[in-house]
Amino acid sequence: MREEFTRHEKLSSKELSAIDVEVGKHYKPNDFGDRVAQRFIKMLRTLPDTYFGRDHYMRAVMLETIAAVPGMVGGMLRHMKSLRNMSEDHGWIIHLLHEAENERMHLMTWMKCLQPSLANRLLVLGAQGVFFNAYFWLYVFSPRIAHRMCGYLEEEAVISYTHFLDDLDAGLISNGPAPPIAIDYYNLQPGASVRDTVLAIRADEALHRDANHHFADRIAAHRENLLADVQAKAYSEEQSRRVAKSPHYTQTSLH
Amino acid sequence: MREEFTRHEKLSSKELSAIDVEVGKHYKPNDFGDRVAQRFIKMLRTLPDTYFGRDHYMRAVMLETIAAVPGMVGGMLRHMKSLRNMSEDHGWIIHLLHEAENERMHLMTWMKCLQPSLANRLLVLGAQGVFFNAYFWLYVFSPRIAHRMCGYLEEEAVISYTHFLDDLDAGLISNGPAPPIAIDYYNLQPGASVRDTVLAIRADEALHRDANHHFADRIAAHRENLLADVQAKAYSEEQSRRVAKSPHYTQTSLH
Ligand SMILES: [Fe+2]
Ligand SMILES: [Fe+2]
Ligand SMILES: [Fe+2]
Ligand SMILES: [Fe+2]
C-alpha cells in the first residue's frame, strides 16, 4: 500500500486526484523474455475486453482475482527456497505477501459493489486454475520474467482503472458512496465515493507496476538483495551519527 | 510471536524461564482423523531421533525447515480460496502467514549456530519435497486434520526444545552467546545466551501448539470465523461506550 494512505490525516478527493500514477507509463521490452511476458498479458487482456466490455465492476473483480495470485506464489516459492537452502531471503517474502494481501483487499472492496453471476464465478474459477499453475511454473523457471509479466499486468490495471474513471466522469456509471471497507482500508474521508476508491486502488496498482519492473531489473542485474540498499543507508547514517556524537572524532574513525 | 516479546522492556533469563509453556501438554485424539495425525507425527519423529540423536542444533534446523511449511501452505490455500470464492477469509490468512514467518526466523536463528553437512542439506531437500506435497493435499482434503497434525508437531517441538534445555543444563552442550538475530527478534538482553534463545523459541512453539489445536477444534465445531469473537467483543464494548456517553440513556437503547 502506498505511503500516502498510512498517514494520520484522511485523504480528500483532491489529494487522491493529485497522486501522480503516471498513466500510460510503459517498460519497453528489452529481450525475448520481456517480449513473451508482454505478449502474454496483451493476450490475457482480450478476455475482459471482449467479455466484460464496459462492465467496470466485473472487470475489476476479474482483474483482482488474477492480480492477487503472483504475490502469493512468489512469496511462497521464496519462503520454501529460504527453508530448503537454509538461507536468508533478503526482504522478498514479506514484500510479495503484502502485495498479495493488498490485491485481495481490492477484490474484497469490489465484492461489496456487485453480485457476480454464476457464469462469471465459473470463469474466475477456471482462470485461477490456469493462471496459478502457469505463474507457479513460470516463477520456478524464471523469477525475472515472472516479475516482468506482473509489471505488464499492472500497467494494464492502471489503464483499466483509468477507463473506469473516464466512464464515471462521463456519467456512464453513477458515482455512489465508497464501500466502508475501502474507507477503512485507505483512510478515506467518511463521505468518500466510488471514484475515490478507484483513485486509491489505481495508485496501488501503479506502485505494483513500478515494484515488479524494478524486481525484474534487479534479478537481471544480479542485485537480488533488496535489503542491501536499506542496510547500506542505515549503516552510513549510523556512522554519521557516531561521528557526530563522538568526542574523539578523527577522520580515520569513518573507516 | 508471543505477546511477551513485543513489550518495551527486554526480557531477562528469569522472565523467559517463568513463561509457562505447559511442557507435556497433549491433546487426546478424539476420532480417526486425530489418530492418523498423531500417528503420522510420531512416525516423522523417528527420523531425527535415530539420525540426529542429541545433536540438538541439527535437530532444531531439521524441525524448523519442516515446521515453517504448514503456515505457508495453509495461508496460501486460504488466500486462493478467498479469491476464487470472492469471499472473506475471516482472519486465517494473516495468522497462518505470520506463523510461517515466525518458524522461518527460528530456522534463520539456528543457522547462525551451525554449518549443516551436505548429507544433511540433501535430507532437508528431500524432506521438504515430500512434506510440502503431503501437507498441501492434506490441507485440501481436510484442513481440520491438517491443523490437528500441526498441533501434534508443535507438541513434539516443545518436547524437543525441552530436551535441548536439559542437555544445556547438564553441561552436555556449552551455553554460548545467543545469535544477534535472536536478541533482535525476541527483544532479549544484550548478554543473552543460547539457553535464552531456546526458551524464547520454545515459548513460540507452545503458542503454535495451542493455536493449531484450537483451529482444528473450531473447524470441527463449524465456527470458522476467527474474527467473530473479536468483532463481538468490539461491538459490545462500543455499545457500552455509547451507552455510557449518551445523555439519553434508557434501558431499551441497549437493544
Ligand atoms: Fe489490484
Ligand atoms: Fe496490482
Ligand atoms: Fe519453530
Ligand atoms: Fe512452531
Side-chain angles (χ1 to χ4, degrees):
Chain A
M1 189 197 266
R2 291 183 79 104
E3 183 268 325
E4 287 91 335
F5 303 126
T6 59
R7 292 186 202 143
H8 184 69
E9 308 80 42
K10 297 187 180 302
L11 285 174
S12 67
S13 302
K14 208 175 143 197
E15 287 164 315
L16 285 166
S17 301
I19 298 176
D20 184 13
V21 298
E22 303 174 81
V23 177
K25 186 175 174 187
H26 173 59
Y27 181 95
K28 271 225 183 75
N30 249 330
D31 61 8
F32 180 71
D34 289 355
R35 274 187 292 274
V36 170
Q38 190 185 22
R39 186 64 58 90
F40 181 77
I41 292 299
K42 284 286 173 205
M43 201 188 68
L44 208 66
R45 207 204 143 88
T46 57
L47 180 79
D49 280 348
T50 55
Y51 193 70
F52 299 129
R54 298 185 104 120
D55 180 354
H56 290 289
Y57 286 113
M58 194 56 223
R59 284 186 79 110
V61 162
M62 184 79 204
L63 171 69
E64 302 298 355
T65 60
I66 291 293
V69 173
M72 182 52 70
V73 170
M76 186 255 290
L77 284 173
R78 284 185 180 267
H79 179 81
M80 300 307 293
K81 188 178 167 191
S82 167
L83 298 182
R84 70 175 175 269
N85 293 348
M86 308 177 225
S87 59
E88 317 242 350
D89 88 303
H90 304 300
W92 289 80
I93 299 169
I94 205 148
H95 184 102
L96 296 175
L97 294 180
H98 272 133
E99 188 185 291
E101 179 61 11
N102 180 236
E103 300 285 18
R104 203 176 63 82
M105 284 304 290
H106 296 170
L107 175 63
M108 293 301 115
T109 299
W110 294 129
M111 285 308 293
K112 303 291 174 197
C113 303
L114 84 169
Q115 280 288 350
S117 66
L118 181 64
N120 285 347
R121 285 183 172 273
L122 290 174
L123 192 67
V124 164
L125 209 77
Q128 179 180 106
V130 174
F131 188 73
F132 179 89
N133 283 287
Y135 194 82
F136 180 98
W137 290 110
L138 176 60
Y139 208 98
V140 169
F141 172 71
S142 168
R144 180 180 72 82
I145 303 180
H147 283 295
R148 184 69 69 209
M149 210 181 85
C150 283
Y152 286 129
L153 177 68
E154 302 287 353
E155 286 182 9
E156 298 297 336
V158 171
I159 294 170
S160 283
Y161 281 121
T162 303
H163 290 162
F164 196 157
L165 285 175
D166 292 344
D167 282 2
L168 274 165
D169 291 341
L172 297 172
I173 310 168
S174 70
N175 186 22
I181 186 177
I183 294 178
D184 197 40
Y185 186 64
Y186 284 113
N187 195 25
L188 304 178
Q189 292 179 344
S193 65
V194 166
R195 190 174 191 282
D196 297 330
T197 310
V198 177
L199 284 169
I201 292 181
R202 187 179 65 165
D204 276 344
E205 310 299 14
L207 198 69
H208 299 159
R209 172 195 66 200
D210 298 342
N212 278 283
H213 281 316
H214 175 71
F215 290 159
D217 288 345
R218 288 193 79 130
I219 298 171
H222 303 287
R223 285 175 52 241
E224 281 203 52
N225 187 338
L226 299 181
L227 301 178
D229 312 345
V230 185
Q231 280 158 352
K233 192 160 169 279
Y235 178 77
S236 78
E237 279 171 9
E238 172 69 20
Q239 290 299 313
S240 340
R241 246 200 317 277
R242 276 195 196 172
V243 168
K245 272 203 286 187
S246 164
H248 311 293
Y249 168 57
T250 61
Q251 194 66 40
T252 49
S253 73
L254 268 167
H255 303 284
Chain B
M1 190 198 265
R2 292 182 78 101
E3 184 268 325
E4 287 92 334
F5 303 128
T6 60
R7 290 185 204 146
H8 185 69
E9 308 81 43
K10 296 187 180 303
L11 286 174
S12 67
S13 301
K14 208 175 143 195
E15 286 163 316
L16 285 166
S17 300
I19 299 175
D20 183 13
V21 299
E22 303 175 81
V23 177
K25 186 175 173 186
H26 173 59
Y27 181 96
K28 270 225 183 74
N30 249 331
D31 62 8
F32 180 71
D34 290 354
R35 274 187 293 272
V36 170
Q38 189 185 22
R39 185 63 59 89
F40 181 78
I41 293 299
K42 284 285 173 207
M43 200 188 69
L44 208 66
R45 207 205 142 90
T46 57
L47 182 78
D49 280 348
T50 54
Y51 193 69
F52 298 129
R54 299 187 101 119
D55 180 353
H56 290 289
Y57 285 113
M58 195 55 223
R59 284 187 80 109
V61 162
M62 184 79 204
L63 170 70
E64 302 298 356
T65 61
I66 290 293
V69 172
M72 181 53 68
V73 169
M76 187 256 290
L77 285 172
R78 284 185 181 266
H79 179 81
M80 299 308 292
K81 188 179 168 192
S82 167
L83 299 181
R84 69 175 175 269
N85 293 348
M86 308 178 227
S87 58
E88 316 243 350
D89 88 303
H90 303 301
W92 289 80
I93 299 170
I94 206 147
H95 185 101
L96 295 176
L97 294 180
H98 272 134
E99 188 185 291
E101 179 62 11
N102 179 237
E103 299 285 19
R104 202 176 64 82
M105 285 303 290
H106 295 170
L107 175 63
M108 293 300 115
T109 299
W110 295 130
M111 284 308 292
K112 303 291 175 197
C113 303
L114 85 170
Q115 279 290 349
S117 66
L118 180 65
N120 286 347
R121 284 182 172 273
L122 290 174
L123 191 68
V124 164
L125 208 77
Q128 179 180 107
V130 173
F131 188 73
F132 179 88
N133 283 287
Y135 193 82
F136 180 98
W137 290 110
L138 175 60
Y139 208 97
V140 168
F141 171 73
S142 168
R144 179 180 72 82
I145 303 180
H147 283 294
R148 184 68 69 209
M149 208 180 87
C150 283
Y152 287 127
L153 177 68
E154 303 288 353
E155 287 182 9
E156 298 296 336
V158 171
I159 294 169
S160 283
Y161 281 120
T162 303
H163 290 161
F164 197 156
L165 285 175
D166 292 343
D167 282 2
L168 275 165
D169 292 341
L172 297 173
I173 310 168
S174 70
N175 186 21
I181 187 177
I183 294 179
D184 197 39
Y185 187 65
Y186 285 112
N187 195 24
L188 304 177
Q189 291 178 344
S193 64
V194 165
R195 190 174 191 282
D196 297 330
T197 309
V198 177
L199 284 169
I201 292 181
R202 188 179 65 165
D204 276 344
E205 311 299 14
L207 198 69
H208 299 159
R209 172 196 64 200
D210 298 342
N212 277 284
H213 281 315
H214 175 70
F215 290 158
D217 288 346
R218 288 193 80 128
I219 297 172
H222 302 286
R223 286 176 51 242
E224 280 203 51
N225 188 339
L226 300 182
L227 302 178
D229 312 345
V230 184
Q231 280 158 353
K233 191 159 169 280
Y235 178 77
S236 78
E237 278 171 10
E238 173 69 20
Q239 290 299 314
S240 343
R241 246 201 316 277
R242 276 195 196 172
V243 168
K245 273 203 286 185
S246 165
H248 310 291
Y249 167 56
T250 61
Q251 194 67 40
T252 49
S253 73
L254 267 168
H255 303 285

